[in-house]
Amino acid sequence: MNHRPQRSLLAALGGCAAALCIASAHALPEAALQAAVAQFTEASKGKADATDASSEQFQALLKAEPGHPLLMSYLGATTTLKARDAWAPWKKMSYAEDGLALIDKAIGLLGPEHDQALVQGTPVSLQTRFVAANTFLGLPEMFNRGPRGRQLLEEIQASPLFAKAPGGFQGAVLMRSARQAEQAKDLPRARGLYQQVLARQLPQAGDAQAALKGVQ
């Protein structure tokens, strides 16, 4: 199982998530969440010891807040990273399937209340879908999760909540969608998404401007 694409995609996700802080109705412990996300960021860069630490921390957070979809989606994403790090093929598959099951469950748990609970001004519902989309799109094609990942990105952008989210989150979603369009050789769509980042003057504008040079 080749997890190089997953490593790069989840690295982008981890970099985005590392700056997040919680301000939600569930009153999640901010310091503990930040520590777990920081470990996830390191794990996404290929550090196996950080993967284990992140998994343990998200498990502890989820035990304290059972059924929280964002925590569950992060635990699922971290579990798929264990598949990247495992040596035995059967272990790789087991971790991947367990991680995907957690993410699927997290998405299934989303309800109207998660449109109101915020992560740095961004609804938990959108963040959970974004974690899922990044994970799905980073998996090898054999898992057939690419179409669902693309669908989730489209759902996020189509949500009336998206335009109200902080610029950093909007930019992360648009940049991820643009890169996916590039991979699919849909250069007109990629250009349009990068141009949206520029037009909205989002924090990723510099990256979008550089990326545009490669899709002319």
Side-chain angles (χ1 to χ4, degrees):
M1 182 187 302
N2 184 354
H3 283 268
R4 287 184 182 177
Q6 184 185 34
R7 178 178 300 180
S8 61
L9 297 177
L10 288 177
L13 171 63
C16 173
L20 295 178
C21 64
I22 283 293
S24 78
H26 293 278
L28 294 175
E30 180 179 332
L33 179 61
Q34 290 284 12
V37 171
Q39 290 292 342
F40 177 82
T41 302
E42 293 303 303
S44 70
K45 297 175 182 177
K47 298 182 180 179
D49 56 343
T51 304
D52 291 335
S54 176
S55 178
E56 291 173 2
Q57 290 170 332
F58 278 119
Q59 286 183 55
L61 285 165
L62 193 57
K63 183 177 181 180
E65 190 66 46
H68 195 289
L70 183 57
L71 297 177
M72 190 175 294
S73 66
Y74 265 119
L75 179 58
T78 303
T79 304
T80 66
L81 287 178
K82 288 187 174 184
R84 176 201 66 195
D85 300 333
W87 286 96
W90 67 268
K91 199 67 173 178
K92 286 179 176 289
M93 186 62 68
S94 177
Y95 280 135
E97 291 177 345
D98 289 348
L100 291 173
L102 283 168
I103 293 172
D104 288 341
K105 184 176 180 180
I107 294 173
L109 288 171
L110 291 175
E113 68 274 19
H114 300 113
D115 291 341
Q116 304 301 319
L118 303 179
V119 175
Q120 198 176 9
T122 302
V124 166
S125 59
L126 297 188
Q127 284 284 354
T128 300
R129 290 185 173 92
F130 192 43
V131 172
N134 273 280
T135 303
F136 291 169
L137 291 170
L139 290 170
E141 291 184 6
M142 63 178 286
F143 288 97
N144 196 31
R145 290 298 183 118
R148 180 58 174 146
R150 292 189 292 272
Q151 181 184 34
L152 286 168
L153 286 178
E154 291 173 1
E155 288 177 5
I156 293 169
Q157 294 170 72
S159 170
L161 301 170
F162 181 64
K164 301 176 183 178
F169 179 77
Q170 291 185 43
V173 172
L174 292 171
M175 292 293 290
R176 184 65 193 86
S177 297
R179 292 183 180 119
Q180 179 59 36
E182 277 195 75
Q183 291 173 0
K185 308 300 182 183
D186 188 351
L187 299 188
R189 174 170 169 74
R191 283 195 294 271
L193 289 163
Y194 288 134
Q195 288 166 354
Q196 282 190 54
V197 176
L198 292 173
R200 299 185 191 189
Q201 298 182 330
L202 300 176
Q204 295 84 352
D207 292 336
Q209 183 67 63
L212 270 173
K213 296 178 181 178
V215 292
Q216 298 300 326

